[in-house]
């Protein structure tokens, strides 16, 4: 008889084991008021709350949480949400929905082994944040890391669309500002040379900035070192526009002629500085710089972080607008956008029977998990903060 590693019992035909059917679970979602500086958005709009409540879920919202994005407490209570003034009560819900990451004090109020769905903003985070999550055995899902079926990041993309469109609209406002503007109309009027717009970068922000500027009739020039991105941008815009790789001589010539320059580059850790101070000095007096990538350092050497209250400063006779959180300025639009992305995922999590089974079935959601029951599961975060990392695929089967 030949040798075999199996016992006689194991070699006999076995009964088939089928997967146990999924049990639908009901969610209890808490939405606290945003406390971060300048944060005016909310994760769910009343229509989304009504949809969740109709599916049998509970939503508890802290009083006044939607006011800055033009939604009253009455709008939410009419949609079926429970409104409370008790912040601790909201944070004790098993699922917490926030736009900004919670503070250490807020994590302290959260339920043990709860689920946190928010942005993570790795560039502004500190190591203590992850230690606090670990001590509470929290499972963290980050907006920025959630993937769609096509491999794109829907939350990042839609906020980039807002930022791109807004950058041109903000520039058009600044160009007619009484004190500092040139009194130029952004666009194309018969017999008048069109406004010149330079965009540095060719991602989603750049595409929507170019689309808006072209729609107003401006002349657009786009610079990026990726030919593939430039080609995709032209195809998406459906028209041939001026595109170039970043060559100092060509870029300087374009900047000297332009009325508006928009920075829309992305870097791995920090955005590369593409425009030096000497280049800015040679720009037209009263020209406008909108540095959309200021949250990762900015691509103009002269950029400094500003706020929504005091958004601009003048350097070398050029107006600089460097507010890190542009979508928050359009809080209602941004809230609707986040809500539309997050609601289907919430319904899916409930349908699958909770986050555990949902991340087994949904690769895009699994990609969004950066903390799993107090264990860090995201490699870039682990490398950035030098924290031990566990592969989520080894934790979930």
């Amino acid at each position: 008889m030949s040798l075999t590693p199996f016992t006689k019992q194991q070699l006999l035909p076995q009964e088939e084991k089928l997967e146990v059917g999924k049990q639908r679970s009901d969610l209890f979602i808490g939405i606290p008021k945003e406390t971060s500086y300048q944060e005016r958005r909310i994760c769910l709009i009343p229509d989304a709350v009504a949809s969740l409540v109709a599916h049998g879920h509970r939503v508890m919202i802290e009083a006044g949480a939607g006011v800055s994005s033009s939604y009253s407490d009455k709008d939410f209570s009419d949609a079926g949400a429970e409104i409370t003034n008790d912040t601790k009560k909201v944070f004790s819900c098993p699922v917490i929905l926030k736009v900004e990451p919670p503070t250490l004090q807020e994590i302290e109020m959260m339920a043990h082994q709860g689920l946190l769905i928010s942005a993570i903003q790795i560039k502004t985070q500190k190591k203590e944040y992850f230690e606090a999550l670990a001590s509470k055995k929290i499972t963290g899902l980050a907006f920025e890391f959630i993937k769609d079926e096509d491999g794109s990041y829907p939350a990042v993309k839609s906020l980039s669309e807002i930022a791109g469109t807004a950058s041109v609209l903000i520039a058009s406002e600044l160009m007619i500002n009484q004190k500092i503007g040139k009194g130029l109309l952004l666009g194309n009027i018969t017999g008048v040379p069109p406004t010149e717009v330079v965009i540095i970068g060719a991602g989603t922000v750049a595409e929507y900035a170019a689309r808006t500027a072209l729609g107003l009739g401006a002349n657009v020039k786009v610079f990026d070192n990726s030919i593939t991105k430039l080609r995709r941008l032209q195809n998406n815009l459906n028209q041939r526009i001026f595109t170039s790789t970043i060559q100092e001589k060509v870029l300087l010539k374009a900047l000297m002629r332009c009325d508006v320059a928009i920075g829309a580059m992305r870097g791995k850790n920090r955005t590369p500085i593409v425009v030096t101070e000497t280049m800015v000095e040679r720009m037209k007096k009263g020209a406008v710089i909108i540095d959309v990538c200021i949250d990762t350092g900015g691509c103009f050497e002269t950029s400094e972080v500003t706020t929504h209250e005091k958004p601009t400063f003048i350097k070398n006779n050029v107006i600089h607008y460097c507010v890190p959180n542009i979508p928050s300025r359009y809080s209602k639009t941004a809230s609707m956008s986040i809500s539309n992305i997050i609601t289907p995922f919430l319904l899916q999590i409930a349908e699958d029977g909770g986050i555990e089974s949902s991340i087994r079935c949904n690769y895009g959601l699994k990609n969004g998990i950066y903390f799993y029951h107090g264990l860090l599961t995201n490699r870039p975060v682990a490398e950035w903060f030098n924290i031990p990392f566990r592969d989520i695929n080894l934790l979930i089967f």
Side-chain angles (χ1 to χ4, degrees):
M1 185 181 151
S2 61
L3 290 169
T4 165
F6 302 106
T7 63
K8 194 175 177 188
Q9 185 61 39
Q10 284 171 321
L11 288 167
L12 290 171
Q14 306 286 314
E15 74 275 15
E16 188 183 0
K17 289 186 171 68
L18 294 170
E19 187 187 353
V20 179
K22 290 180 203 164
Q23 286 278 305
R24 189 182 167 282
S25 74
D26 288 332
L27 302 176
F28 186 10
I29 301 162
I31 303 180
K33 199 172 177 179
E34 293 293 336
T35 53
S36 300
Y37 181 57
Q38 295 191 336
E39 187 48 76
R40 302 169 54 208
R41 297 168 291 179
I42 189 167
C43 282
L44 290 183
I45 61 171
D47 290 352
V49 171
S51 171
L52 286 161
V53 170
H55 281 81
H57 308 301
R58 285 175 70 191
V59 181
M60 185 180 279
I61 297 179
E62 189 177 346
V67 172
S68 51
S69 42
S70 309
Y71 294 113
S72 66
D73 290 344
K74 187 179 183 303
D75 293 337
F76 282 111
S77 67
D78 289 350
E82 302 162 36
I83 311 290
T84 176
N85 281 309
D86 188 346
T87 311
K88 277 189 175 164
K89 201 172 170 189
V90 178
F91 274 105
S92 66
C93 293
V95 181
I96 298 295
L97 259 187
K98 269 182 107 311
V99 178
E100 294 273 327
T103 62
L104 298 180
Q105 291 78 17
E106 288 171 337
I107 294 173
E108 202 48 52
M109 292 188 269
M110 283 172 67
H112 209 66
Q113 300 241 351
L115 170 64
L116 166 68
I117 305 175
S118 73
I120 180 176
Q121 294 173 351
I122 179 172
K123 305 285 189 301
T124 57
Q125 230 25 290
K126 290 187 172 66
K127 202 170 179 176
E128 294 83 57
Y129 171 77
F130 300 100
E131 287 163 356
L133 289 181
S135 67
K136 283 269 183 176
K137 299 260 188 292
I138 301 282
T139 297
L141 182 66
F143 292 148
E144 304 101 302
F145 300 149
I146 296 175
K147 276 190 175 177
D148 239 337
E149 295 87 17
D150 62 350
S152 65
Y153 296 92
V156 177
K157 215 167 183 158
S158 69
L159 293 174
S160 297
E161 289 174 8
I162 294 173
T165 306
S167 63
V168 175
L169 301 178
I170 291 164
S172 70
E173 285 171 35
L174 294 174
M175 282 162 69
I176 53 161
N177 187 307
Q178 251 78 52
K179 291 186 198 135
I180 46 178
K182 294 201 290 184
L184 270 180
L185 173 70
L186 202 155
N188 190 345
I189 304 302
T190 313
V192 178
T195 322
E196 295 278 341
V197 177
V198 166
I199 299 169
I200 299 163
T204 308
V205 174
E207 183 192 323
Y208 277 78
R211 203 181 283 271
T212 311
L214 289 168
L216 290 167
N219 244 354
V220 177
K221 293 179 178 174
V222 180
F223 290 83
D224 195 285
N225 272 336
S226 163
I227 298 289
T228 311
K229 280 187 175 179
L230 290 171
R231 185 179 292 121
R232 189 182 62 207
L233 179 91
Q234 284 205 333
N235 291 339
N236 288 354
L237 292 174
N238 230 347
Q239 61 175 297
R240 293 276 155 219
I241 57 166
F242 177 101
T243 55
S244 168
T245 51
I246 299 169
Q247 294 161 16
E248 201 168 323
K249 203 174 171 187
V250 184
L251 179 59
L252 179 60
K253 196 174 167 189
L255 287 169
M256 284 164 69
R257 289 179 174 177
C258 81
D259 303 294
V260 177
I262 295 169
M265 290 283 276
R266 283 227 82 71
K268 188 142 178 67
N269 290 328
R270 190 209 184 282
T271 304
I273 289 175
V274 180
V275 181
T276 61
E277 181 149 10
T278 45
M279 290 164 100
V280 175
E281 280 168 8
R282 297 184 68 181
M283 286 174 73
K284 284 185 197 170
K285 185 183 176 187
V288 176
I289 284 176
I290 311 276
D291 205 340
V292 183
C293 45
I294 190 71
D295 55 344
T296 54
C299 62
F300 292 84
E301 196 180 0
T302 48
S303 293
E304 290 163 25
V305 179
T306 59
T307 64
H308 284 296
E309 283 76 42
K310 194 174 181 299
T312 57
F313 64 91
I314 297 175
K315 208 169 192 176
N316 305 322
N317 289 322
V318 176
I319 304 159
H320 291 64
Y321 180 100
C322 308
V323 180
N325 191 354
I326 291 178
S328 194
R329 188 175 196 240
Y330 303 90
S331 53
K332 191 163 189 171
T333 302
S335 298
M336 289 161 102
S337 177
I338 294 169
S339 182
N340 290 342
I341 290 163
I342 211 75
T343 310
F345 280 116
L346 289 170
L347 292 169
Q348 188 61 52
I349 289 167
E351 215 42 59
D352 291 340
I355 191 73
E356 302 286 334
S357 48
S358 200
I359 51 184
R360 281 193 192 96
C361 320
N362 188 323
Y363 167 74
L365 257 188
K366 188 198 283 182
N367 201 69
I369 298 281
Y370 64 95
F371 236 75
Y372 183 73
H373 292 299
L375 300 171
L376 182 67
T377 58
N378 183 286
R379 193 184 291 277
V381 175
E383 286 168 0
W384 186 265
F385 293 100
N386 198 14
I387 307 172
F389 153 82
R390 304 285 181 85
D391 188 340
I392 192 159
N393 297 308
L394 301 177
L395 301 173
I396 302 162
F397 295 103

